[in-house]
Amino acid sequence: DARVTQTPRDKVTEMGQEVTMRCQPILGHNTVFWYRQTMKQGLELLAYFRNRAPLDDSGMPKDRFSAEMPDATLATLKIQPSEPRDSAVYFCASGLVPPGTEAFFGQGTRLTVV
Amino acid sequence: AQSVAQPEDQVNVAEGNPLTVKCTYSVSGNPYLFWYVQYPNRGLQFLLKYITGDNLVKGSYGFEAEFNKSQTSFHLKKPSALVSDSALYFCAVSPGNTGFQKLVFGTGTRLLVSP
């Protein structure tokens, strides 16, 4: 049963600390998305990759957030330094071109910055 | 830029009655449209999609959605609601002319089905 795996599931950290969230997309998928979900803003697209190359990261605060795909089986989202306003659930999703294929979501990482 | 509007924060329906969750979209070119459902503390689960062809698409758990190009709408429907359908529902759009890119979601509609 193929699925997107995200780690950790929950993370509590102090303000100013670095946070790294990891995502293992479904094997063979060539598109990876990072979303952030908050009560106030809903689901925000932070960044997405095609064949490991970033296509659009305009939704991501550049000064503290970075997203990478070191290889086809791993996507990372880093926040440095973290702030309380970064508290949210972060979702990774993967999909496959050709066009129109649906995205499959991971369970999310619940981040709390205190 | 593409966008999705889900005008209702919450929809209440009695079990056994039909339900409709509304979605309108804005995108350049032909859209790819999707519905997802989210249960508490879970990720989003795919329900159905419209890419091309028949305007009425059928998906998981008895859900269906109707694509209306003139009204730029993609409303989610089910003939008979179940209490277990209570969840958060998201509509999403991707611009079809550029392929599967930039999947943008609406704000979500909470569906509450009462026994």
Side-chain angles (χ1 to χ4, degrees):
Chain A
D1 184 23
R3 62 182 65 188
V4 176
T5 303
Q6 290 186 247
T7 56
R9 289 294 309 275
D10 286 278
K11 176 72 176 178
V12 180
T13 191
E14 292 184 349
M15 182 174 60
Q17 296 298 305
E18 177 178 301
V19 175
T20 298
M21 290 169 272
R22 293 177 173 80
C23 168
Q24 181 176 355
I26 292 174
L27 189 64
H29 281 188
N30 57 4
T31 304
V32 173
F33 301 85
W34 281 106
Y35 289 90
R36 175 171 63 183
Q37 185 177 34
T38 60
M39 290 294 292
K40 188 175 181 181
Q41 299 292 337
L43 270 169
E44 301 173 274
L45 178 62
L46 297 176
Y48 68 99
F49 294 76
R50 174 72 48 79
N51 296 322
R52 296 175 55 199
L55 290 189
D56 188 338
D57 60 1
S58 59
M60 202 164 62
K62 299 292 193 305
D63 56 339
R64 299 182 299 108
F65 284 60
S66 62
E68 296 179 343
M69 282 200 72
D71 61 61
T73 64
L74 177 64
T76 62
L77 180 65
K78 291 186 180 181
I79 308 175
Q80 169 63 22
S82 57
E83 297 180 2
R85 59 178 168 156
D86 300 329
S87 298
V89 181
Y90 291 80
F91 287 106
C92 173
S94 72
L96 180 64
V97 174
T101 307
E102 61 270 25
F104 293 82
F105 279 74
Q107 299 278 50
T109 294
R110 181 177 299 275
L111 174 65
T112 304
V113 183
V114 297
Chain B
Q2 73 229 59
S3 65
V4 174
Q6 292 182 245
E8 303 151 316
D9 289 337
Q10 182 163 311
V11 169
N12 298 303
V13 64
E15 187 174 33
N17 284 357
L19 69 88
T20 299
V21 183
K22 295 179 181 178
C23 170
T24 59
Y25 66 90
S26 174
V27 71
S28 58
N30 294 320
Y32 294 153
L33 294 157
F34 304 82
W35 275 102
Y36 284 80
V37 61
Q38 185 180 31
Y39 297 99
N41 300 314
R42 302 294 296 276
L44 277 71
Q45 297 177 29
F46 169 77
L47 278 180
L48 51 79
K49 65 183 177 184
Y50 171 82
I51 305 302
T52 186
D54 194 347
N55 289 343
L56 184 65
V57 295
K58 295 185 183 297
S60 307
Y61 312 120
F63 284 94
E64 57 189 29
E66 186 168 12
F67 170 62
N68 188 316
K69 188 173 183 178
S70 62
Q71 297 185 6
T72 62
S73 67
F74 189 56
H75 300 331
L76 181 70
K77 299 180 181 183
K78 187 173 182 180
S80 179
L82 299 172
V83 173
S84 57
D85 293 330
S86 298
L88 190 56
Y89 290 81
F90 290 94
C91 181
V93 66
S94 176
N97 60 335
T98 58
F100 184 46
Q101 296 190 38
K102 199 151 189 173
L103 188 61
V104 173
F105 285 82
T107 52
T109 298
R110 187 166 302 281
L111 174 65
L112 183 60
V113 182
S114 55

